[in-house]
Amino acid sequence: MANVSRHPGDLADHPDVSEMRDRYARMLGRPGVVAVDGLLLLAGLYVAISPWTVHFAAAETELARNNLIMGIAVAVIGLALTMVPERMAGLSAACAAIGVWLIVSPWVVTRHPDTGTVWNNVVAGAVICLLGLVAAAMATRASKQAPSVST
């Protein structure tokens, strides 16, 4: 007869249950980091769709392509930072660099950007740069506070 008192999805006997609980507790102890990473994800998605929301995709196709690629990159980094922050902490500084690129890209990618395009990229780039710097600082602080694992 089958044991019906235990649910098939019960993880009580899983060999890594203590490690999973510790990781979950670490994640719950750092809600600010998850919030910053989530904002990075949203900012990246905005940059990716901004050529169509600000209506410069047809007039400045190179800048639209640039924003699409950089926005997807920031969104993927934000998602990776949210999912596995221990392994992806170094990429938060890359978001700061992408933010700086977004600020200067209207003048580098196109010859005569219009005012709406410039404001869009400068504000979005500044937000992404600031969020990247905050995420990098939080990751650095968390890595200094984390106990080292010796093998």
Side-chain angles (χ1 to χ4, degrees), residues 82-108:
T82 303
M83 300 293 286
V84 264
E86 302 90 21
R87 295 181 184 169
M88 300 294 178
L91 288 179
S92 52
C95 283
I98 291 173
V100 171
W101 169 251
L102 284 170
I103 292 171
V104 300
S105 65
W107 296 282
V108 175

Side-chain angles (χ1 to χ4, degrees), residues 18 31 148:
S18 63
S148 61

Side-chain angles (χ1 to χ4, degrees), residues 42-134:
L42 291 175
L45 290 176
Y46 170 75
V47 169
I49 66 167
S50 68
W52 294 274
T53 56
V54 182
H55 303 293
F56 65 87
E60 297 170 3
T61 56
E62 296 87 8
L63 189 61
R65 192 175 309 125
N66 175 68
N67 280 17
L68 179 65
I69 293 169
M70 292 297 115
I72 290 172
V74 170
V76 167
I77 291 171
L79 183 64
L81 286 169
T82 303
M83 300 293 286
V84 264
E86 302 90 21
R87 295 181 184 169
M88 300 294 178
L91 288 179
S92 52
C95 283
I98 291 173
V100 171
W101 169 251
L102 284 170
I103 292 171
V104 300
S105 65
W107 296 282
V108 175
V109 176
T110 62
R111 286 192 174 264
H112 303 289
D114 61 350
T115 307
T117 304
V118 170
W119 276 106
N120 176 66
N121 273 31
V122 168
V123 171
V127 166
I128 289 174
C129 182
L130 179 67
L131 288 172
L133 291 173
V134 168

